[in-house]
Amino acid sequence: MKLSGHDLSGADLSNANMNNASLEGANLSSVNMTGANLRGADLTAATAAKVIFVKADLTSAKLPQALAGANLAGANLAGRDLSGANLQHADLRNADLRGTNLTSASLTGCNLSGVMLQGTSLHGADLSDAD
């Protein structure tokens, strides 16, 4: 599925099968991707402000660096390289971040309750006002 550069803002893509989809540079602002299969999808350079990835399968997906305000509650982000990512005010409740590289990431104001952090690198990460 090739949706690179498309404006999908506000779309409801909950439970969509977007396995290996190309979403490079797409506008995903406020898109609902609850429960979506995004295995291997390429979301690099996508605009993802306030996107909803609740319980989405992001295994091997290439994620954008800017995920401010995103809802990633219950998302599987284990083993990902999110170094330097902007996750300000993101909802990461119950997300799987085991082994994730969050070096120098901005987690200001994030909801981190129930997050699995075993083996996660948080060197230089900004956790100001995070719960």
Side-chain angles (χ1 to χ4, degrees), residues 17-37:
N17 183 2
M18 302 185 80
N19 191 42
N20 293 313
S22 177
L23 295 159
E24 301 152 283
N27 182 355
L28 304 175
S29 299
S30 300
V31 170
N32 182 359
M33 292 191 172
T34 300
N37 174 6

Side-chain angles (χ1 to χ4, degrees), residues 1-4 6 8 11-24 26 28 31-43 51 53 56-62:
M1 178 181 304
K2 289 194 172 203
L3 296 169
S4 298
H6 283 75
L8 302 171
D12 184 359
L13 299 174
S14 54
N15 300 309
N17 183 2
M18 302 185 80
N19 191 42
N20 293 313
S22 177
L23 295 159
E24 301 152 283
L28 304 175
V31 170
N32 182 359
M33 292 191 172
T34 300
N37 174 6
L38 291 157
R39 284 179 164 262
D42 188 351
L43 288 80
V51 68
F53 285 122
D57 186 351
L58 297 164
T59 305
S60 301
K62 295 177 185 172

Side-chain angles (χ1 to χ4, degrees), residues 65-131:
Q65 286 292 308
L67 290 164
N71 187 337
L72 293 152
N76 181 356
L77 298 167
R80 308 308 305 276
D81 182 5
L82 295 176
S83 55
N86 177 359
L87 291 158
Q88 293 177 357
H89 304 286
D91 185 350
L92 293 164
R93 283 175 297 139
N94 303 311
D96 185 351
L97 297 174
R98 290 176 292 180
T100 300
N101 182 1
L102 289 168
T103 302
S104 300
S106 178
L107 298 159
T108 305
C110 281
N111 184 342
L112 299 171
S113 61
V115 171
M116 293 175 262
L117 291 170
Q118 297 87 343
T120 299
S121 175
L122 292 163
H123 300 290
D126 184 354
L127 296 162
S128 309
D129 299 319
D131 292 334

